[in-house]
Amino acid sequence: MSSEPLPAWWQPLLTRVRSARTADFTRVATPARGGRPSAVLVLLGEHRPGEPDVLLLQRAATMRNHAGQPAFPGGAADPGDRDARATALREAEEEVGLDPGSVTVLAQLPRLWIPVSGFVVTPVLGWWHRPHPVHPRQPEEVAHVTRLPVDELVDPDNRLQVRHPSGWVSPAFQVRGMLVWGFTAGVLSALLDMAGWAGAWPTGRIIDLPPEPSPGGDPSAAGLPDTLGDRAGGDAATVDGSAGLPG
């Protein structure tokens, strides 16, 4: 836990997430019981003073599901995890070498259900008070780690929607050579709105989702599937995915 005061940009987001509901992220209701507990770490830092960014990883091209897609660090809970916070921090340490002591956990977002697999995912919101170099620790699953500046995510030129072959339409970001979509984009889109950072963007700009790379690797490495309804006017989304809620 950092003793330093939080940057001023945190306060509007924290105020809003205290009253956040599942419906702010998805139209899919979370069941009161059941589901396999899982968590992802939504880690915000600063690449320059007063300018926040978010840590994302990119899945390896050899993954059987959602190969090459950006994602939050995260995955399914282990029996030894005390709570969602412990799961998210453990997964981030295992995947990208994140020091848990460099993170101040500030909030847990509503639990989000992924019907196709039965996972119940808790996004954990953290302040990266002491950033340090990170890198893929599991090359068979993680190809790349990056920090995406919020000002690039909210740039209207980098925002769009994607249409899945099944027909659903969902928010997306096209930034620094990556297409961020699905669960990750849905959570990011909601948080950008809650923080007051997002402005008008071209919801009519829709592209068809590119086909995934040829599957490969160990199918047992596949973890969490991806689902979030489009909060910008599209249809509810449910699509299979891979470990750590990619896309």
Side-chain angles (χ1 to χ4, degrees):
M1 176 77 67
S2 172
S3 60
E4 298 294 324
L6 288 174
W9 52 261
W10 263 112
Q11 199 54 52
L13 178 57
L14 287 178
T15 299
R16 178 62 182 85
V17 298
R18 291 190 185 106
S19 61
R21 303 169 302 157
T22 298
D24 293 320
F25 297 89
T26 177
R27 301 178 207 171
V28 181
T30 302
R33 298 181 180 179
R36 184 178 179 188
S38 311
V40 296
L41 182 63
V42 184
L43 185 61
L44 300 180
E46 286 186 328
H47 59 283
R48 285 191 293 268
E51 299 184 20
D53 57 30
V54 61
L55 180 72
L56 293 183
L57 56 82
Q58 191 164 26
R59 295 289 164 196
T62 53
M63 294 291 290
R64 183 166 296 276
N65 295 307
H66 288 274
Q69 288 188 21
F72 298 120
D78 277 356
D81 293 339
R82 297 184 307 276
D83 50 24
R85 164 184 168 157
T87 297
L89 291 175
R90 175 185 54 75
E91 285 283 337
E93 183 177 15
E94 291 175 359
E95 290 181 325
V96 304
L98 180 74
D99 174 9
S102 70
V103 178
T104 300
V105 172
L106 297 175
Q108 290 186 188
L109 305 182
R111 296 160 61 248
L112 305 174
W113 185 43
I114 300 179
V116 71
S117 70
F119 280 100
V120 176
V121 187
T122 301
V124 174
L125 188 60
W127 159 232
W128 204 3
H129 64 262
R130 193 174 69 245
H132 61 86
V134 289
H135 62 278
R137 293 188 65 190
Q138 300 175 343
E140 69 280 5
E141 294 187 16
V142 179
H144 179 62
V145 186
T146 190
R147 298 173 65 176
L148 294 182
V150 165
D151 59 359
E152 294 184 25
L153 290 169
V154 299
D155 185 339
D157 289 340
N158 294 335
R159 301 205 65 176
L160 69 159
Q161 298 198 87
V162 293
R163 181 186 296 109
H164 189 267
S166 65
W168 61 259
V169 177
S170 183
F173 302 84
Q174 203 160 36
V175 57
R176 299 198 176 191
M178 296 188 299
L179 179 64
V180 184
W181 64 280
F183 182 93
T184 303
V187 171
L188 283 175
S189 181
L191 292 177
L192 293 174
D193 288 343
M194 292 179 186
W197 295 331
W201 57 280
T203 58
R205 182 186 171 204
I206 302 174
I207 66 171
D208 290 328
L209 194 62
E212 296 182 21
S214 300
D218 180 1
S220 66
L224 309 181
D226 180 357
T227 177
L228 275 190
D230 177 9
R231 300 172 58 259
D235 298 324
T238 302
V239 61
D240 188 38
S242 68
L245 294 167

